[in-house]
Each structure stands twice: as C-alpha cells, then as structure tokens.
Amino acid sequence: MRLTRHSRWQGVKRYAAVTLPVLFLAACATQEPTTSGTQNAASTGKPILAPKPAAPAVTPQQAELKSLVALQDRLYDVAAPLLVNNAVLCRNNARNLLGFTAKTKFSYTAEFIDAATSLGLTDQLQVTGVLTGSGAAKVGLQRGDLLVAIQDKPVPTGADAERQTALMLGPLVNGRSNIKVTIARNGSNQTLNVPLTRACAFGIELGNTDNVISYADGRRVLISAGMMKFVRSDDELAYVIAKEMAHNTLTHPARQRLTATLSGVIDNLVRLRPDNAPLSGAAGVKPYPQQLDAAADKLALYMVARAGYKVDDASAFWQRLATQYPATVLNGYTAIHPATTYRIAAIEQAVSDIQAKQASGSTVLP
C-alpha cells in the first residue's frame, strides 16, 4: 500500500502487486561433508554427525517475486530523493505523504499468496518500505513494523486491509502536521508521531517487460525492468525517473491527448505477466514533439540536481540510449522521444546553468 492521499487500489486482486517493496526473510544452510571409504567414528575418534537438513526448495513463484521486488526496491530507493526534494517543482502534483508503504499477503494474486507468506507477510499490514528523507524515516519507522493503530483506531487486517486503511487515512492528511501511528516491533507496541511530508505525489511503478522504455500518464511514472537493466548507475536511473516526472508536471500526456493510452499501457505493464502483443509496435503512443521533450529534459535535470544526483553525464547517457535503441525500435525509448540531437543541446545548456548555480551557492531552480 502506498500511503498517500490519493492511492490506486483497483486491480489489487487481479495483478501481482510488484509496485511496492516487500520484506524478505532469507536463509541458507550448509551440509556437513559426508564420510567416505573406511573413515568412520572409530577411525577418526569423532562421532559421525547427521547431515543438516537441506534448505527448503525455492518455488518459481518465490524466485519470480523476489527478483521483481528487488528491482522495485532499487527503483523506490532512487526515486525517494526525487519525490521528497522537488515538491516546489511539482506544481499541482505535490501532496502530504506519510512516507511509507505497507502490504499484506493478500496484496498479491492468489498464485503468489503462498510465496508472499513464506517471505514474511501475513494478514496484518506490514511496513515494506520507508521513503528516504520522509517524516516516517525521521521518526524511525522501519521495514517489518506491523501497523496496529492510526490515530488510536485499529488498523484493519485481512484481504481488504489495504483499501480500508486507505479510506481511513484519506481524511487525516488535510489540516494536520503529523499522524499518530502505533506499530508492533519485536513483540511490543510503540507509538510514533509521523510528520507528514510534502512531496511529489507520483506513483512509481515497475514495468514487467524487458523492453527498454519508460512512461508517464499524468499521475504515475513507469520504468521498465529492461530500462533498469540498461542504466549503469543510480544517476542514470534518476535521469529517467525525473524525465517522466517532468512530463507529468508539465501536463505533457494531457497535451498530447495520450493520458488514456498511457494509463492503459501502464496498467498492462504493472501486471506480473503483461500482455506482450501491444508491445510489438508502438502501443498507440505518439512520439513527443521536440519542444516538449526539451522542456521536460530541462526540468528533469533540475529535479535530479536538487535530489543530490550528478547531472554531468546526462547528455552522454541519452546519446548512448539513442544509439543502442534507435527510433526504429518501435517499443523502445527513442521511438517516443526521437529528437535526440535537439534535446542534447537543451540538456547541455541546463547542465551548464545548474553547475553555475551550484558553484555560486545559488538556489537550484529553473
């Protein structure tokens, strides 16, 4: 559950909820060497130890879920500073956030409930991610904490816990500076007054495809698993996330009349097993005009710099991406953002301006 004022709960039962980090309990076991030949208790003077039991086999569902959530964890970790440090740039998209996510085993489709259970989730909402720099992080909320009460009202449990808790939280974020949260940790309860955090309220989604692509639909940002494997650093991943945040902030999906199309693409790709047929072409997504793309690049670089990431290598990254995945790859990034040469000039100018402001100690704002 993404604990924001406006959360999207539709499809929780239909889709595997890979958009939120999950706490994993991992263990490994080694086995004592077996005896051979005539070596035995009598010859060694030591008792023969029974082999340790082998670790339980990892099911395909567990492996698949763990792999996807590992990508999601990294995506959220990189996105956190972008969201928390750019409320001033997100215009009408800034909201008060609690700054943590929570899930139950029922957050997944029936196929993955057993896998989620084996990895530590139950029918009680458990904190599965804390937004770096948020009020929740500052008061010490941790992964694995169980949600017991909010403003002294018991937190729902069971299959509908996420939706019911979202309805409980919705009215609380207006007119408050903090929210009282009771959690269970190590068998005992404790109460935290969680300050609300003003941040960009964009959903950050993982797309389950190896296509090297990213999308924005006005309220969400989707980065594909393929894109996450393509980037070489957190700085590069921050460029990609911020570029889609900038498109949303500048209302480009609406201006392109692509909101419904992009929402449909994202809804498909957040599924654990998306329909790959539309991805054989452009999925109905029109390329962005070069002026809109350059404007998003400029705003994105300011977001990246304000979040503490480097902007020095931005133009080199986009050139590398366009070279390896040119516009002829219809389901690739450059097909939607084809004006690479035009954009590079705008990127280099923005980088120069940002570095000058950083050097002079000026506020980094466009």
Side-chain angles (χ1 to χ4, degrees), residues 231-284:
V231 298
R232 296 175 179 173
S233 67
D234 287 351
D235 295 306
E236 292 186 352
L237 181 54
Y239 301 156
V240 182
I241 298 170
K243 177 65 180 291
E244 302 305 334
M245 288 174 56
H247 277 311
N248 281 345
T249 297
L250 297 171
T251 67
H252 288 171
R255 290 172 64 179
Q256 285 281 86
R257 298 183 180 180
L258 284 174
T259 301
T261 298
L262 290 166
S263 293
V265 171
I266 292 175
D267 286 341
N268 176 39
L269 291 179
V270 297
R271 298 177 181 180
L272 192 63
R273 294 186 177 85
D275 178 6
N276 290 317
L279 299 178
S280 60

Side-chain angles (χ1 to χ4, degrees), residues 168-249:
M168 177 191 299
L169 283 167
L172 296 178
V173 296
N174 291 323
R176 292 177 180 269
S177 59
N178 59 72
I179 290 180
K180 182 180 179 182
V181 178
T182 303
I183 55 104
R185 181 188 299 169
N186 298 327
S188 61
N189 289 356
Q190 55 182 285
T191 297
L192 303 173
N193 286 313
V194 180
L196 295 175
T197 302
R198 195 73 175 172
C200 301
F202 297 127
I204 306 297
E205 311 279 9
L206 173 67
N208 298 320
T209 175
D210 286 330
N211 296 337
V212 180
I213 194 64
S214 62
Y215 297 102
D217 69 352
R219 61 190 178 89
R220 290 177 293 175
V221 166
L222 181 137
I223 310 298
S224 73
M227 178 66 82
M228 292 194 65
K229 295 169 185 175
F230 176 81
V231 298
R232 296 175 179 173
S233 67
D234 287 351
D235 295 306
E236 292 186 352
L237 181 54
Y239 301 156
V240 182
I241 298 170
K243 177 65 180 291
E244 302 305 334
M245 288 174 56
H247 277 311
N248 281 345
T249 297

Side-chain angles (χ1 to χ4, degrees), residues 4 14 29 51 60 64-65 71 90 174 267 277 280 362:
T4 67
R14 293 186 293 119
E64 189 172 8
L65 194 58
L71 288 176
C90 284
N174 291 323
D267 286 341
S280 60
S362 302

Side-chain angles (χ1 to χ4, degrees), residues 82-162:
L82 293 168
L83 298 172
V84 171
N85 292 289
N86 285 301
V88 67
L89 296 183
C90 284
R91 299 183 183 178
N92 296 325
N93 300 106
R95 300 286 187 275
N96 287 335
L97 310 182
L98 268 170
F100 65 89
T101 58
K103 302 190 73 60
T104 73
K105 66 181 181 181
F106 298 109
S107 300
Y108 298 87
T109 52
E111 178 185 3
F112 287 88
I113 288 178
D114 287 345
T117 300
S118 70
L119 298 173
L121 293 175
T122 66
D123 64 350
Q124 187 172 3
L125 278 169
Q126 180 181 127
V127 174
T128 52
V130 180
L131 199 66
T132 303
S134 68
K138 291 174 182 176
V139 298
L141 197 70
Q142 299 177 9
R143 283 177 137 192
D145 290 343
L146 299 174
L147 299 186
V148 176
I150 295 174
Q151 291 296 126
D152 296 321
K153 293 183 179 179
V155 171
T157 60
D160 204 30
E162 289 189 59

Side-chain angles (χ1 to χ4, degrees), residues 295-309:
D297 282 317
K298 178 180 177 180
L299 180 59
L301 286 168
Y302 274 88
M303 290 178 169
V304 167
R306 289 172 57 85
Y309 295 107

